[in-house]
Amino acid sequence: MEGEVNIMVHRFKMGSLYLDDEPVNPGIEYQPGQTISLGEAISDKEISWVPANGLLIADRCLLTCISWDDLNDQGLVFGREIELHGFKFRARLLKVGSEEGIPNEWDAALDTVGDSDDLWHWGGMFFWGQEKSKIAASYRVYRGYSSARFWYCNPASPRVSYLGFRPALEPLPTDHSALRHGQEVLVIGHDGCAAGKLVEKTKYDLVLQLKPDGLVGKATFAADMQDGTVVVDRSGIVSIATV
């Protein structure tokens, strides 16, 4: 895992994309019938994720020329359980709004971390969302291309080069009271995340022994850091992934 931190831009590298069990570079064209999976990170093929509101959202489309129907057939629209680096997630599409202007996960993420194309790589590329459009039952919603917040919809079956798959990772529900000393955890806040071993748990904080490059967005996410240890304010935690 590696972390990249730029001004107002936070990214966290974890895992790689696989087609038919072979690792591929993000942004590749999908061939009908290929099996999609997320798995062990391969050097130079890592996926960059943006922590936002308790989710990890891919910073770009991982596949192009893929239809909503293709993704639904593989359980990747509403969610398929996966494991990355031992952490358990539900990989799915974002909720992007069944009509323009209503609250949704994508716009909330933009509100939290910004809508820069340098961060999200939306320029010239749409990505599929979960929802059916209210315009027609056979239509599905997609976002991006001309601006981060552009909203559009079309039938669920087209495979085109400018429309793709941008997954989000949602940690599976965790009982915080069951967290134990020495457990590997990935703690996700509104605009940051921290990965490491749990050293101490108090009523107000979690103390983690960080993995290398395991902290992203420390200015707003971590209460303190010293000697490779980070103290995370529990009030800022939105979700936790565990091993």
Side-chain angles (χ1 to χ4, degrees), residues 227-239:
D227 301 327
T229 300
V230 63
V231 181
V232 181
D233 183 350
R234 291 182 69 165
S235 67
I237 296 172
V238 182
S239 60

Side-chain angles (χ1 to χ4, degrees), residues 86-197:
F87 299 118
K88 297 176 177 61
F89 301 96
R90 180 173 291 106
R92 61 173 176 82
L93 298 186
L94 286 168
K95 297 174 183 177
V96 299
S98 58
E99 60 183 342
E100 193 169 7
I102 66 173
N104 61 82
E105 291 175 334
W106 174 240
D107 286 305
L110 300 180
D111 291 342
T112 297
V113 301
D115 59 7
S116 166
D117 185 50
D118 290 336
L119 175 60
W120 293 111
H121 305 93
W122 45 256
M125 180 61 65
F126 289 112
F127 69 91
W128 290 109
Q130 278 191 15
E131 292 95 332
K132 295 179 180 179
S133 169
K134 289 191 175 181
I135 293 174
S138 63
Y139 279 28
R140 302 295 182 269
V141 178
Y142 46 87
R143 305 291 299 272
Y145 195 88
S146 59
S147 74
R149 297 181 188 269
F150 186 73
W151 184 100
Y152 206 67
C153 62
N154 251 328
S157 58
R159 299 185 181 109
V160 291
S161 61
Y162 51 85
L163 176 55
F165 171 48
R166 182 197 297 271
L169 299 181
E170 176 187 3
L172 298 182
T174 298
D175 180 1
H176 294 195
S177 66
L179 295 174
R180 62 187 186 277
H181 183 271
Q183 186 172 19
E184 294 279 352
V185 298
L186 173 62
V187 183
I188 307 172
H190 286 286
D191 59 356
C193 62
K197 287 187 177 181

Side-chain angles (χ1 to χ4, degrees), residues 5-10 50 112-116 119 191 220:
V5 181
N6 299 317
I7 298 174
M8 299 299 290
V9 175
H10 306 309
V50 179
T112 297
V113 301
D115 59 7
S116 166
L119 175 60
D191 59 356
T220 56

Side-chain angles (χ1 to χ4, degrees), residues 9-12 48-52 55-59 109 113 119-120:
V9 175
H10 306 309
R11 282 179 285 219
F12 187 72
S48 291
W49 306 92
V50 179
L55 300 173
L56 296 177
I57 304 170
D59 75 339
V113 301
L119 175 60
W120 293 111

